[in-house]
Amino acid sequence: MEEEKIPQSIAIIMDGNGRYAKKNNLPIAIGHKNGCDNLEVILEEVVRLHIKYFTVYAFSTENWKRSKEEVNNLMSLFHIYMPRILKKALNNNVKIHFIGDIESLDEELKNMCYEMINQTKNMTGTIFSIAFNYGSRNEIIRAIKKIKIEDINNLDEEKFSTYLDTNGIKDPDLLIRTSGECRLSNFLLWQISYSEIYITNVFWPEFSIDELHKALSQYSMRERRYGTRV
Ligand code: IPE
Ligand code: IPE
Ligand code: MG
């Protein structure tokens, strides 16, 4: 693939753990666990490809509405996988970043997030953003609350972006959603204005390195116009 056709910034809505479990007669908990294992595989490939920005939707502000059992299961998976992701990041020169309302998480999870940020702050490779307790509308409201009244009149798009959790992260060139749903589910509404969107029916736990390459190859054939006539 030509160098310039590889996206610098990729985001993934990792959807379909539940349907994958159902299809394979497995408990949902195993679906989520296999989804976490798969994230480690895809992260490594993204690093190998020197993709600078990698953002994944791990848990939305709306996902709290699921059953207590499922939410608890997901939170315990975060406890298990965050140290593993940290280790992987340290071994692969990956800098970890979180987007979402981390402040409202329970103390232990919040501390784990800060620990991951802190320990990887000097890494110079891929910047891996984890959307955790993330909702785009929530992010926009939190951003607005940070703006000083006296700065409102001079606010422009570039300046507004700096108040978002994604400050410093390049807007996704490519947004991938697994499991076939054609919606954004409150993910990066501001940032994906001109992203190329790739939707596959493959469930997240089965989204292999080959599937990632299919998405990249599709992307390489897209013509981005940004409203202009080229
Ligand atoms: C994505 O898989 C994981 C999270 C939302 C945390 P789902 O659990 O949404 O899987 P489906 O959509 O029910 O198949
Ligand atoms: C989006 O998936 C959130 C994550 C992948 C973390 P959902 O499964 O929550 O989205 P909906 O409910 O199908 O829109
Ligand atoms: Mg889903």
Side-chain angles (χ1 to χ4, degrees):
M1 208 180 295
E2 293 170 51
E3 185 83 18
E4 73 268 23
K5 292 285 195 178
I6 294 188
Q8 290 174 0
S9 180
I10 295 187
I12 305 187
I13 302 176
M14 307 182 292
D15 196 18
N17 296 348
R19 278 163 283 174
Y20 158 85
K22 199 167 176 203
K23 183 187 84 173
N24 293 294
N25 279 317
L26 295 165
I28 286 195
I30 300 294
H32 288 313
K33 185 198 164 291
N34 290 359
C36 291
D37 287 337
N38 196 43
L39 176 58
E40 294 192 282
V41 173
I42 297 298
L43 172 62
E44 258 186 30
E45 182 63 4
V46 165
V47 169
R48 199 187 66 79
L49 293 168
H50 300 292
I51 291 167
K52 184 71 190 172
Y53 303 96
F54 182 44
T55 305
V56 296
Y57 206 0
F59 191 87
S60 77
T61 45
E62 288 73 34
N63 288 148
W64 296 107
K65 295 178 196 158
R66 295 189 180 190
S67 72
K68 205 164 172 241
E69 190 190 352
E70 186 173 358
V71 170
N72 285 345
N73 168 240
L74 283 162
M75 292 306 137
S76 32
L77 280 173
F78 283 122
H79 275 103
I80 295 166
Y81 279 85
M82 299 234 285
R84 286 174 57 158
I85 293 281
L86 174 58
K87 199 168 162 209
K88 188 142 292 222
L90 291 170
N91 289 335
N92 287 278
N93 195 23
V94 168
K95 185 171 176 167
I96 294 174
H97 177 77
F98 282 91
I99 61 172
D101 191 0
I102 295 303
E103 285 308 309
S104 323
L105 292 173
D106 80 46
E107 209 61 23
E108 203 183 334
L109 275 173
K110 191 165 65 177
N111 290 339
M112 275 173 120
C113 295
Y114 286 125
E115 187 66 21
M116 289 165 86
I117 295 167
N118 210 19
Q119 285 205 33
T120 61
K121 66 174 189 283
N122 295 324
M123 299 288 149
T124 56
T126 297
I127 298 177
F128 178 40
S129 302
I130 305 170
F132 187 18
N133 194 19
Y134 178 86
S136 195
R137 289 179 172 182
N138 170 283
E139 177 191 31
I140 289 168
I141 293 291
R142 284 186 292 104
I144 291 169
K145 288 180 179 169
K146 291 178 208 160
I147 307 171
K148 294 198 190 87
I149 295 284
E150 59 268 30
D151 291 337
I152 293 280
N153 280 338
N154 291 325
L155 194 67
D156 58 14
E157 292 177 11
E158 200 183 327
K159 183 71 192 162
F160 181 70
S161 297
T162 66
Y163 293 98
L164 294 168
D165 298 344
T166 48
N167 182 26
I169 308 296
K170 185 180 190 288
D171 286 347
D173 297 306
L174 173 63
L175 172 74
I176 297 171
R177 182 166 187 150
T178 58
S179 302
E181 306 297 354
C182 300
R183 57 177 172 254
L184 297 175
S185 305
N186 204 10
F187 190 48
L188 301 177
L189 304 182
W190 171 277
Q191 297 88 341
I192 59 164
S193 296
Y194 272 102
S195 304
E196 294 297 322
I197 299 176
Y198 175 87
I199 296 172
T200 170
N201 287 328
V202 174
F203 299 135
W204 171 249
E206 293 174 330
F207 186 82
S208 59
I209 290 174
D210 269 3
E211 294 296 335
L212 175 67
H213 282 273
K214 276 188 210 165
L216 294 175
S217 147
Q218 263 259 352
Y219 173 84
S220 73
M221 291 182 290
R222 303 272 180 96
E223 181 190 40
R224 302 182 77 183
R225 286 195 288 272
Y226 304 97
T228 64
R229 196 177 300 290
V230 287

